[in-house]
Amino acid sequence: MMRLVRTVMQQRPGWLIVVAVTLAASMAGVFSLPALDRDEARFAQATAQMLETGDWVRISFLDEDRNKKPVGIHWIQLATVSAGEAISGALENRQIWAWRLASTLGAVLAALGTLALGNRLLGHPAGLYAGVLLGASVLLGIESGIAKTDAMLAGLTIWALYALIRLRTGPPEAAKRWAVALWVLMALGALVKGPVTPMAVALAAIGLALWEQRWNWLRPLAFWPGPVLATLILLPWLISVQIATGGDFLREALGDDLGPKLVTGHESHGGLPGYHILLLSFLFFPAILFLPAGLRAGISAIRSGGEHAAAARMLIVMSIPFWIVFELLPTKLPHYVLPAYPALAIFAAWGVLAWQATPALWRWLGAGLMVAASLLLGAILFLLSHQYNGPVVLASVLAVMIIAAAIGAIVLATRSRTGPAVLCAVLAGLVWQTAGRGIIAPQTNLFPSRDAAALVHAQDWLSLQTVIRSSYTEPSLAFALRSDTDLMDFPALAALSGDFSAEQLLIIDLSRLPQEDEPASVAASFLDALRANACGVREIEGFNYSRGRATSLLIARTGDCAAVRS
């Protein structure tokens, strides 16, 4: 691992620029955007419960085991949240930024790995261009500001692929060291998100060996310290969690989570082949401007057998087979192909270097995709603000800035000023990240959990003895309030909460009340009695984006009214 650290440090001063750009994109929204539903809130709450209980083996959300993903990201979050708790009480105050720093670290690793691999394959400044284009890209920026697995997975995967390339191209005396590093990185990737990193490495290794008809360079992978270290990284926790859950972890992770994703559109996340290609120009903005030119350069290098033909082959096997697997899988989410983005970013950097020699058709294709993506991003900002009570005028100004920066990059590129064009493209990406996640989204009404928790804390409606029940069942509410929050449907809440002399905080989703005649009348009677007997009652309006509909939350505090601020 020290060799990897030295590799990064040797890229200076480029690595400083890449880190700065990636942090600028990643940190937008890290502090201002509330915890998101549903995955981020579930991951964050599970980590919070690990800290609160001292159980670092089981992964639980409220009172249920969450046997879906391995523990790796939670352990990284334990470190960042513990640091945040020491600085500002991040755990006690549920400051989501402390959980998100683990993903920010993953994004930085991904961009630095792209820098190192780009320089290794194409030389300086290809790595610099690739690192900043990836660091400013839409998809990596989004994932770097969400407290879940995917940014860290991308970081570990690109470094594993870097180790694979060093194994393939380095001197024989260093092969065993890189083989051990590869095993360690694959194990760490597996500890974060199961088989994805090992799959990416296996597809690249097999693809390259078949293409080149050479297999002997893979022999150092049999060097025993590598598999032993990988086993020591993975097996202790896996055995412990199997014992702790009575064997349920693997059964549920493989049978209930991974298995259905392989055969059907799991949890309504289906899509046809071509799904990820259709999203590429938007999610790979702003690097999409140079990607067609880079692909054309790679194709030309393979056809001509020139000095960069091997680099083109390696980039192809690191991206295309992985991409095809996820295009063919029936379950689709945009971030599934993120580990292929570093190779695409290096292709984009190749496009920057080969721009002047690229046929006009490929350059204009990149320009067209860039314009289309910038218009879409601008429209998203405007519609987000207009539809959900955000600052419309500010959103419009920021949308114009994104489009103007994108067009500026195109103009500079057409005038063969590719360096300034990259700078302008990166600026467009950073404006989008800052505007969308950092400024506009936090000012909308898309976060009822945030508003409910803010009201509860402002009214001092919580004490250690307060029972919390909610029929607004989004995970972000439990994260924002407390780990003993009970999420349930309205009939269960009404059945348990009829004693209004008890110290209770009740949050009722009025948009999900029973609609049938008799249950509706029972609900109305309960709400009338609650309003009449509660020490404090408030209502807030918002939009539940997880369900795609507006919601109204009734928040009531019952119990000793003398102790409650009305």
Side-chain angles (χ1 to χ4, degrees):
M1 297 303 291
M2 291 304 299
R3 291 180 67 85
L4 293 178
V5 173
R6 287 196 294 271
T7 297
V8 171
M9 300 303 292
Q10 289 166 1
Q11 311 298 320
R12 63 178 185 270
W15 72 272
L16 290 172
I17 299 172
V18 169
V19 169
V21 169
T22 306
L23 287 177
S26 300
M27 298 302 283
V30 163
F31 295 94
S32 59
L33 200 63
L36 303 176
D37 286 310
R38 295 182 171 113
D39 278 353
E40 179 181 46
R42 287 170 176 156
F43 274 102
Q45 178 60 29
T47 301
Q49 290 177 214
M50 284 183 172
L51 282 165
E52 291 166 347
T53 64
D55 184 349
W56 292 17
V57 173
R58 296 172 71 121
I59 306 168
S60 302
F61 174 74
L62 301 183
D63 57 354
E64 294 183 0
D65 284 338
R66 182 169 165 79
N67 296 327
K68 291 179 177 288
K69 301 293 188 295
V71 77
I73 195 65
H74 297 288
W75 285 352
I76 301 171
Q77 289 177 357
L78 286 172
T80 60
V81 175
S82 296
E85 177 69 8
I87 294 170
S88 63
L91 176 63
E92 180 181 358
N93 299 316
R94 290 300 200 261
Q95 296 170 352
I96 189 61
W97 62 264
W99 282 259
R100 289 172 173 164
L101 289 182
S103 295
T104 300
L105 173 61
V108 170
L109 286 175
L112 288 175
T114 304
L115 164 70
L117 186 57
N119 282 343
R120 180 75 183 178
L121 295 179
L122 299 175
H124 182 79
L128 174 60
Y129 288 152
V132 296
L133 288 171
L134 180 71
S137 64
V138 168
L139 183 57
L140 184 65
I142 291 172
E143 293 301 327
S144 67
I146 302 177
K148 54 191 191 74
T149 57
D150 296 284
M152 181 58 67
L153 175 72
L156 292 171
T157 302
I158 186 56
W159 278 109
L161 291 169
Y162 177 84
L164 178 72
I165 297 307
R166 291 300 300 264
L167 177 64
R168 168 65 183 82
T169 61
E173 59 271 18
K176 288 184 177 179
R177 291 196 296 269
W178 286 110
V180 172
L182 177 55
W183 276 107
V184 169
L185 288 161
M186 285 195 293
L188 292 174
L191 200 60
V192 167
K193 201 169 182 178
V196 178
T197 298
M199 182 189 74
V201 171
L203 288 172
I206 294 170
L208 189 59
L210 287 172
W211 196 338
E212 297 182 338
Q213 291 296 296
R214 290 182 57 192
W215 297 86
N216 60 334
W217 60 277
L218 294 171
R219 287 178 181 171
L221 290 173
F223 183 46
W224 67 266
V228 169
L229 284 174
T231 301
L232 291 175
I233 290 170
L234 288 170
L235 205 56
W237 172 78
L238 188 57
I239 293 172
S240 299
V241 76
Q242 281 294 93
I243 294 172
T245 61
D248 285 345
F249 180 82
L250 281 179
R251 180 181 59 79
E252 294 180 16
L254 299 178
D256 298 342
D257 186 58
L258 179 60
K261 291 177 179 177
L262 301 178
V263 298
T264 186
H266 188 47
E267 296 177 341
S268 302
H269 297 311
L272 296 174
Y275 170 96
H276 294 293
I277 288 291
L278 288 175
L279 293 178
L280 181 62
S281 63
F282 161 61
L283 295 177
F284 199 50
F285 180 91
I288 193 65
L289 171 60
F290 303 105
L291 181 59
L295 294 174
R296 174 63 169 75
I299 293 170
S300 297
I302 291 173
R303 286 177 174 174
S304 66
E307 62 174 323
H308 291 313
R313 288 194 297 271
M314 293 174 190
L315 292 174
I316 287 172
V317 299
M318 285 189 290
S319 55
I320 303 303
F322 185 89
W323 195 285
I324 290 173
V325 167
F326 284 98
E327 288 286 14
L328 294 178
L329 284 180
T331 301
K332 290 181 173 63
L333 284 170
H335 59 262
Y336 282 178
V337 294
L338 181 59
Y341 272 41
L344 297 184
I346 298 171
F347 267 124
W350 201 344
V352 175
L353 299 176
W355 185 264
Q356 295 182 42
T358 302
L361 174 64
W362 295 84
R363 285 182 281 146
W364 285 112
L365 175 59
L369 293 172
M370 182 74 160
V371 170
S374 67
L375 291 173
L376 178 60
L377 290 168
I380 288 173
L381 274 187
F382 175 79
L383 293 174
L384 181 70
S385 187
H386 181 269
Q387 188 72 23
Y388 303 110
N389 299 332
V392 176
V393 174
L394 178 59
S396 302
V397 171
L398 292 170
V400 170
M401 289 176 62
I402 293 169
I403 297 168
I407 294 174
I410 294 169
V411 171
L412 288 168
T414 57
R415 295 181 178 179
S416 300
R417 300 180 64 189
T418 49
V422 172
L423 179 62
C424 203
V426 167
L427 178 62
L430 294 181
V431 172
W432 156 254
Q433 303 288 358
T434 302
R437 294 187 295 120
I439 299 176
I440 302 302
Q443 298 186 59
T444 63
N445 65 349
L446 289 170
F447 307 102
S449 294
R450 171 199 62 186
D451 299 336
L455 186 151
V456 168
H457 293 308
Q459 297 296 322
D460 289 334
W461 279 358
L462 276 184
S463 70
L464 293 176
Q465 293 75 38
T466 306
V467 173
I468 308 172
R469 299 190 181 103
S470 174
S471 67
Y472 182 74
T473 57
E474 298 304 332
S476 58
L477 183 66
F479 176 77
L481 290 176
R482 215 165 57 198
S483 295
D484 60 353
T485 300
D486 289 328
L487 305 179
M488 59 188 69
D489 60 20
F490 177 79
L493 181 146
L496 292 171
S497 308
D499 181 6
F500 297 135
S501 65
E503 191 170 332
Q504 304 173 114
L505 176 69
L506 304 180
I507 301 174
I508 299 170
D509 186 349
L510 299 178
S511 70
R512 300 184 65 198
L513 292 177
Q515 300 300 312
E516 297 84 354
D517 291 342
E518 185 174 345
S521 64
V522 172
S525 298
F526 177 86
L527 292 177
D528 289 341
L530 178 62
R531 289 187 174 99
N533 292 281
C535 301
V537 178
R538 297 286 188 275
E539 288 190 29
I540 63 170
E541 305 293 329
F543 192 89
N544 184 345
Y545 53 83
S546 295
R547 294 185 177 273
R549 61 185 179 187
T551 189
S552 177
L553 301 185
L554 184 146
I555 306 171
R557 175 64 153 79
T558 70
D560 182 6
C561 293
V564 176
R565 183 195 309 170
S566 61

